[in-house]
Amino acid sequence: MDLKERLQGHLIQIVRDRNPYMASAGHFYVQQYIREQLGQWGTVETEDFAVRGRIHHNFILDLPPLSPPLGKGGRQFG
């Protein structure tokens, strides 16, 4: 599957009514979809916060670097 098809597939899942107050079912579905997609790359943590008396969530995915940090100037010597 090429990049365009993958992006269209994600958009199909998240482009819907997803207002947390007026379309809570769509909001919940998109939350779960995003959490599932992020979960493919590692452990997803949830940070809760309150707005207007309701609890909402931020999802956090901590990815390790692909390689060790480079030395000053962006070059490794060894």
Side-chain angles (χ1 to χ4, degrees):
M1 187 180 303
D2 71 357
L3 178 61
K4 182 179 176 181
E5 289 171 330
R6 289 184 9 233
L7 291 173
Q8 285 176 332
H10 291 305
L11 287 173
I12 288 168
Q13 298 302 317
I14 64 172
V15 176
R16 61 182 69 224
D17 288 336
R18 58 189 185 280
N19 182 295
Y21 303 102
M22 305 301 267
S24 58
H27 181 77
F28 178 78
Y29 177 84
V30 172
Q31 277 186 326
Q32 297 311 306
Y33 179 79
I34 291 171
R35 184 182 188 102
E36 178 183 306
Q37 293 302 307
L38 291 174
Q40 294 177 29
W41 299 98
T43 302
V44 178
E45 296 179 35
T46 303
E47 179 183 90
D48 298 335
F49 63 97
V51 174
R52 298 182 190 173
R54 293 186 65 180
I55 301 297
H56 299 277
H57 316 283
N58 282 327
F59 298 127
I60 303 164
L61 176 63
D62 188 17
L63 296 174
L66 294 176
S67 60
L70 298 176
K72 190 172 184 176
R75 301 172 94 187
Q76 282 186 326
F77 298 98

